[in-house]
Amino acid sequence: MNINKLHDAWITAGQNYTDKQSNVQNMAIALANGTKDYTDEEIQNAKKEMNKAKQARDLAKDALDSATESKKLVEPTKPVAETPDEHHVFANGVRDLMSGKIKVLNLVSSSSDNKTTSGAGLTIPEDIETRINKLIRQFDVLQPLVNVESVSTVSGSRVIEQFSLMTPLASIEDEDADIADNDEPKLATVNYTIKRYAGINKITDSLLKDSDENIITWLTTWIARKVVVTRNQAIITVLNAAPKKATITKVDDIKDLDTGTLDPAINRLGYFLTNNSGFNTLKKIKDAMGRYLLQPDVAQAGAFTFDGKRIVVVSDNWLPDVSKDTHPLYFGSFADAVTLFDRENMSLATTTEGGKAFEKDQTWIRVIDRFDVEMIDDGAMAVGSFGTIEDQPANLAPKA
C-alpha cells in the first residue's frame, strides 16, 4: 500500500513539475517577444515554484526507489519472471495513456539518449522512434528542401550574412602604399521562438483492445502524418512571405521568375517547386516549334527540367493550390532562404473530460510538436502563381 501511494505521489509530483516548467518556458517566450507583462518578482517566483516542484518530484522518486528496494529485501526470493518484450511494454503504456492511467508523457526527448524515460515512466523503443522518422520521410515533405537546425532552447537568435555583391580588392601600384580596409560583410540578426503545434484524435474503445502491433502501427502513422502536415504548412507560410511575386501567364514569365528576379549566383543554385496540379499544366506547354517545353532530367529518371533548371513536384495534399485553378510556383535556393529551428521535443497527452470527450464518452489523444520556421534571406527565392500558360507563338515548323 505504501509503495502504491509513493508511486502515485511521484506521478503527481512529476505532472506538477511539468506544469511549472511549461509556465516558465511560456514566460521566457513572451519576454523574448518584448512583452512587459511580468514583473521581476513574478519571474523569480515562477522559477522558485519550478525548482520546488522539481525537488518534490525527485524526493518522491527517491522515496519510491528506497521503499521498493526495502520490499525486495524482506520478501522471499521468487523465480525471475521473463522480461516482457519492449514492444508489449510500450503498447501497454500507450493503452494506459489513452485510458487515462498516465496523464502526460514525453514521446521524443531532446536528449541524445533515445531510451530516456519520461516523467511518467514510459520508454519509447529506439526502433519505434526510427519507424516514425522513416514514415515521415516516405511522405512528400518540404522540410528536406530548407535548412534545418536543431536547437535546445525555446528562443534565440542567429547572426547571418545575407547574400550581397562584393566589391573587388583595390589595386596597389606602389609597394609602400597603405592598404585600405575591405568592405564589411552585410550581417542581419534572425530571431526564432519555438512554437507549439498540436493536433487531437478521437480514440475508440476498440483500438484500446487491439493487438500490440496494430496499436504501434496506428500511433506511428498518425504521428508521422501530423508532423508532415504541420511543418509543411509552416514552411509554406514563410515561403509565401517572400516579397517578390509574379502572376505567370506565358513562358517568358517563367523565365523572368528565375533569371530576371534573382542574382545570377543564386540562379545557378536554384530550382523550381510546384505541386502536382501545377506540374500537369507545365508539362503540356509547347515551344514555338510545337514541342513540349519541359525536358527529361538526364540526372534523375522520371524528373523534368525547365530551361535547364530542375523541377521538384510535391503532392497537392502537402502543397495545395493558391486558390481554385491557381497553382504555386517557387524558384530559388530554399536552403539559403528558409531555416526550420527544430526543438526535437514531441509530447503526447490525453483526456476523457476535456472538450466534448466527456459528453461523447470518448478518449482524445493530443500530439504537440515544437519548432519555428524563419525567413533567412528573402533574396534567395522568388514566388509566383499561374493558372493556364500560353504556348509560345508558332515560329518555324520542324521539317518532317
Side-chain angles (χ1 to χ4, degrees):
M1 181 68 69
N2 237 8
I3 290 180
N4 290 337
K5 289 183 178 179
L6 286 171
H7 180 270
D8 291 342
W10 171 51
I11 296 297
T12 301
Q15 293 170 2
N16 185 45
Y17 170 64
T18 301
D19 292 340
K20 302 297 184 186
Q21 185 183 46
S22 178
N23 182 45
V24 170
Q25 291 175 346
N26 289 336
M27 291 176 71
I29 293 173
L31 290 170
N33 288 331
T35 184
K36 297 181 180 179
D37 294 341
Y38 302 108
T39 64
D40 292 342
E41 183 179 357
E42 288 175 328
I43 295 170
Q44 292 302 321
N45 287 339
K47 291 170 64 176
K48 288 178 181 178
E49 289 179 3
M50 181 185 69
N51 292 331
K52 187 176 180 180
K54 182 177 184 297
Q55 290 176 349
R57 182 202 64 182
D58 295 344
L59 178 62
K61 183 63 167 64
D62 291 341
L64 175 62
D65 291 343
S66 177
T68 303
E69 188 62 30
S70 298
K71 188 169 186 260
K72 290 179 181 177
L73 293 176
V74 299
E75 283 186 341
T77 304
K78 296 180 180 179
V80 178
E82 182 180 353
T83 303
D85 177 76
E86 62 179 1
H87 282 192
H88 179 66
V89 173
F90 177 68
N92 280 341
V94 174
R95 289 188 182 93
D96 287 344
L97 173 70
M98 292 188 290
S99 62
K101 293 180 182 178
I102 298 177
K103 297 298 182 185
V104 179
L105 65 149
N106 293 328
L107 252 188
V108 180
S109 171
S110 58
S111 167
S112 59
D113 180 8
N114 290 329
K115 290 283 190 176
T116 299
T117 302
S118 74
L122 182 65
T123 301
I124 182 169
E126 184 175 355
D127 66 315
I128 293 179
E129 183 180 334
T130 302
R131 193 187 306 185
I132 293 173
N133 291 330
K134 284 183 178 179
L135 274 172
I136 290 173
R137 288 193 291 269
Q138 286 176 11
F139 298 131
D140 285 327
V141 294
L142 300 178
Q143 182 168 313
L145 305 181
V146 303
N147 180 49
V148 178
E149 181 178 344
S150 299
V151 296
S152 58
T153 57
V154 296
S155 62
S157 62
R158 297 290 183 271
V159 178
I160 57 99
E161 182 178 1
Q162 293 181 321
F163 185 84
S164 59
L165 294 177
M166 294 184 180
T167 57
L169 293 171
S171 173
I172 302 177
E173 298 179 0
D174 190 345
E175 292 185 0
D176 296 330
D178 293 336
I179 299 176
D181 293 338
N182 276 326
D183 57 321
E184 295 295 330
K186 296 181 179 179
L187 302 178
T189 300
V190 176
N191 297 310
Y192 73 86
T193 301
I194 299 300
K195 301 175 181 64
R196 298 191 307 160
Y197 296 85
I200 292 178
N201 220 38
K202 284 87 172 177
I203 311 303
T204 62
D205 289 340
S206 60
L207 180 64
L208 300 179
K209 301 173 183 177
D210 216 334
S211 68
D212 292 353
E213 189 55 39
N214 285 346
I215 287 268
I216 293 171
T217 299
W218 169 82
L219 183 63
T220 53
T221 303
W222 177 65
I223 291 175
R225 288 184 181 276
K226 286 290 185 185
V227 169
V228 170
V229 170
T230 305
R231 297 194 171 199
N232 279 0
Q233 186 180 52
I235 291 171
I236 292 170
T237 299
V238 173
L239 291 179
N240 289 338
K244 301 180 179 67
K245 298 190 177 183
T247 300
I248 298 167
T249 59
K250 53 184 182 298
V251 173
D252 284 349
D253 291 339
I254 304 178
K255 294 178 179 289
D256 288 340
L257 189 65
D258 60 269
T259 56
T261 305
L262 305 180
D263 188 274
I266 289 292
N267 177 265
R268 289 191 291 270
L269 302 172
Y271 54 89
F272 289 100
L273 172 66
T274 188
N275 61 11
N276 194 59
S277 295
F279 176 70
N280 286 337
T281 299
L282 292 175
K283 70 180 182 181
K284 297 174 185 176
I285 306 173
K286 295 180 181 179
D287 65 13
M289 306 297 288
R291 299 168 298 196
Y292 288 114
L293 211 63
L294 299 192
Q295 297 297 316
D297 188 350
V298 295
Q300 185 177 356
F304 288 83
T305 64
F306 173 82
D307 203 22
K309 304 295 192 306
R310 181 166 56 103
I311 300 175
V312 174
V313 182
V314 176
S315 168
D316 290 15
N317 292 329
W318 309 120
L319 183 59
D321 279 343
V322 177
S323 60
K324 186 179 179 180
D325 299 325
T326 302
H327 318 301
L329 184 63
Y330 307 91
F331 179 82
S333 176
F334 305 106
D336 290 310
V338 178
T339 290
L340 185 148
F341 297 95
D342 194 353
R343 182 67 174 85
E344 296 183 332
N345 188 296
M346 188 183 298
S347 64
L348 286 182
T350 187
T351 182
T352 57
E353 300 175 0
K356 293 189 177 181
F358 180 78
E359 298 175 14
K360 297 181 177 295
D361 191 24
Q362 295 175 334
T363 299
W364 290 12
I365 189 169
R366 179 194 69 201
V367 63
I368 296 180
D369 194 16
R370 294 169 173 85
F371 65 93
D372 187 25
V373 183
E374 295 292 340
M375 179 70 73
I376 301 298
D377 186 357
D378 57 19
M381 61 166 289
V383 183
S385 61
F386 64 97
T388 58
I389 298 179
E390 300 174 358
D391 293 335
Q392 285 184 322
N395 194 348
L396 296 175
K399 294 181 180 180

